[in-house]
Amino acid sequence: MTHPIRLGAVAAAAALLALSACSQGSATRSDGGEDGEVVVRYMEFSSNGGNEQNLDAIVAAFEDENPNIDVQVETTPYADYFTKLQTAVAGGTEADAFELNYENFVTYAESGALAELDVDGDAYTPSLLEAFQHDGTQLGLPESFSDVVLFYNKDLFAAAGVPEPTADWTWEDERAAAEALTDTAAGVWGDYQPATFHEFYKALAQAGGRFLTEDGSATAFDSPEGIAAATWLTGKSGTVMPTEAEGAGTPDFDSTLFREGKLAMWHSGIWMFGPLADVPFEWDVVVEPGDQTKASAMFTNGVVVSANSEHPEEAQAWLEFLTSSDTTVDTRLNAGWELPPIADQDKLAPYLEQTPPANRQAVFDALDETVLPPVIVRQQEMQDAVTEELGNAAAGRKTVEQAVADAAARVDELL
């Protein structure tokens, strides 16, 4: 299952590496507000499509507490956002503060377009806060997150007499359960985890490997750990999960299979909790099993202050409120608008008390050991190359070893 706001536009943002130098020193100007108010312009995409009023409520609460600051929100649909942002930054007309997904944060951080922040990080979950550090400097704040967990059909486990997954499971435990639960005659499959880039970098971390070298100049996954990760993923096809020829990989195939009670285990994101609320069987989630270690995929949006802002202190104050205030926490939880990045789980009790699933604590436990996607300028080409080569191995067109070697060679060319 693909994240509904899949990270992208990295190649476009990479143009900043060449253009940002031209805009340094061209201050982002904000017209004065009424009665001497400081105007903070904030450009964002995530409220578009249904959460505009929720963001307005957060802005109103902030302005009530900070009557000297006028936050002016500029909302752009995701499809157009990064092109508009790139143009603004290149011309030195960007907002004082703006929103970025993780991949684009990396690119903008490297370009020098972001201001250093001085914040008390105790309010935030450590792994989320660290995602928006660059070379040891805090250049952004986490705004929201979602992650991937292992869904499982409790009824299928009970019927087969197989113990349910636990947080201590390893790949071998998952493999054994998947084999025991697969009943092709009945159309029931034990597991679903596609052999794609997004699953591979995660499995690679679970196997103890790394995707790129420390300096990012070359690939590092043509290794025993890379072979182990690729074998883990591609070996499922046709044994405990459907093949590409049987429909695997087509839109909504996996979610439909799970909803119909024909899938025992499913690696997917917490954004599927809502769509599964009405299925006619019991289900739950756990942190994904690991091999040498745990490593959960985390998707996070962040917010940053422009290096050119004339009002960096006021912009940072707004971003801290936006990301960690009680108003924001309550608004997000009530609206189901992704999850706030806060560390205080007492404030998250309303979310944890909702069912299904019963084990929502796994959503936060998964943040203890996470892995972020590798980022390069030619991001989409890299993702496509890895997914294609893994597909070749899953379909038997190449050995796992050859597919991994070919994927590494293709990514090295992109680097």
Side-chain angles (χ1 to χ4, degrees), residues 186-206:
V188 174
W189 296 94
D191 206 353
Y192 194 99
Q193 184 178 21
T196 62
F197 166 83
H198 288 96
E199 294 297 331
F200 178 70
Y201 78 75
K202 177 179 62 180
L204 177 64
Q206 292 169 354

Side-chain angles (χ1 to χ4, degrees), residues 58-409:
I58 297 171
V59 170
F62 173 77
E63 291 179 342
D64 284 345
E65 293 187 15
N66 300 271
N68 63 317
I69 303 176
D70 175 19
V71 177
Q72 296 183 356
V73 177
E74 304 167 16
T75 300
T76 301
Y78 184 83
D80 304 318
Y81 180 81
F82 288 102
T83 299
K84 182 177 179 179
L85 178 62
Q86 175 195 351
T87 301
V89 173
T93 60
E94 74 273 20
D96 296 282
F98 49 92
E99 185 177 27
L100 293 171
N101 55 28
Y102 172 72
E103 277 94 334
N104 279 288
F105 166 77
V106 173
T107 303
Y108 278 75
E110 291 176 347
S111 78
L114 309 181
E116 181 176 352
L117 304 181
D118 181 14
V119 297
D120 178 3
D122 291 344
Y124 303 95
T125 299
S127 60
L128 292 166
L129 186 68
E130 290 165 8
F132 293 97
Q133 295 173 0
H134 183 71
D135 290 339
T137 301
Q138 198 71 49
L139 295 181
L141 293 176
E143 176 192 24
S144 64
F145 81 94
S146 58
D147 54 22
V148 173
V149 291
L150 181 68
F151 291 67
Y152 65 97
N153 182 319
K154 292 171 69 73
D155 291 4
L156 288 178
F157 272 82
V162 177
E164 293 182 7
T166 71
D168 297 325
W169 265 25
T170 65
W171 286 358
E172 288 307 313
D173 295 311
E174 182 179 341
R175 189 196 320 273
E179 291 172 352
L181 288 156
T182 297
D183 183 352
T184 55
V188 174
W189 296 94
D191 206 353
Y192 194 99
Q193 184 178 21
T196 62
F197 166 83
H198 288 96
E199 294 297 331
F200 178 70
Y201 78 75
K202 177 179 62 180
L204 177 64
Q206 292 169 354
R210 57 182 305 135
F211 196 93
L212 298 174
T213 57
E214 189 70 35
D215 64 1
S217 63
T219 58
F221 64 80
D222 187 6
S223 64
E225 295 83 6
I227 300 298
T231 300
W232 166 241
L233 295 174
T234 61
K236 297 183 180 187
S237 180
T239 57
V240 297
M241 68 173 273
T243 64
E244 181 180 337
E246 292 169 318
T250 55
D252 299 324
F253 178 85
D254 49 350
S255 58
T256 299
L257 202 62
F258 192 82
R259 287 182 61 86
E260 292 178 347
K262 299 293 186 180
L263 183 57
M265 292 180 287
W266 180 32
H267 295 256
S268 193
I270 63 173
W271 50 87
M272 290 304 301
F273 287 179
L276 293 175
D278 61 349
V279 296
F281 56 84
E282 290 192 61
W283 59 277
D284 210 341
V285 299
V286 294
V287 176
E288 290 182 287
D291 183 35
Q292 300 301 309
T293 187
K294 297 278 190 180
S296 296
M298 176 178 71
F299 304 99
T300 178
N301 292 329
V303 287
V304 299
V305 174
S306 167
N308 293 330
S309 174
E310 294 182 334
H311 307 296
E313 292 183 5
E314 292 85 353
Q316 179 178 311
W318 156 239
L319 296 187
E320 289 187 71
F321 189 92
L322 173 64
T323 56
S324 63
S325 69
D326 289 349
T327 298
T328 293
V329 172
D330 292 342
T331 300
R332 284 193 173 276
L333 294 183
N334 290 335
W337 183 21
E338 291 202 322
L339 288 171
I342 60 169
D344 187 349
Q345 291 206 1
D346 288 341
K347 296 180 179 180
L348 299 167
Y351 176 82
L352 292 169
E353 291 165 0
Q354 297 176 46
T355 58
N359 186 29
R360 288 185 176 232
Q361 182 61 45
V363 174
F364 302 99
D365 291 344
L367 297 178
D368 291 342
E369 296 179 88
T370 61
V371 58
L372 290 162
V375 179
I376 67 171
V377 172
R378 298 168 70 177
Q379 185 75 10
Q380 191 60 55
E381 292 175 83
M382 174 180 68
Q383 294 176 186
D384 291 346
V386 172
T387 297
E388 180 181 333
E389 294 299 344
L390 291 173
N392 287 334
R397 292 185 290 267
K398 292 183 179 181
T399 65
V400 170
E401 292 78 6
Q402 188 61 55
V404 169
D406 289 349

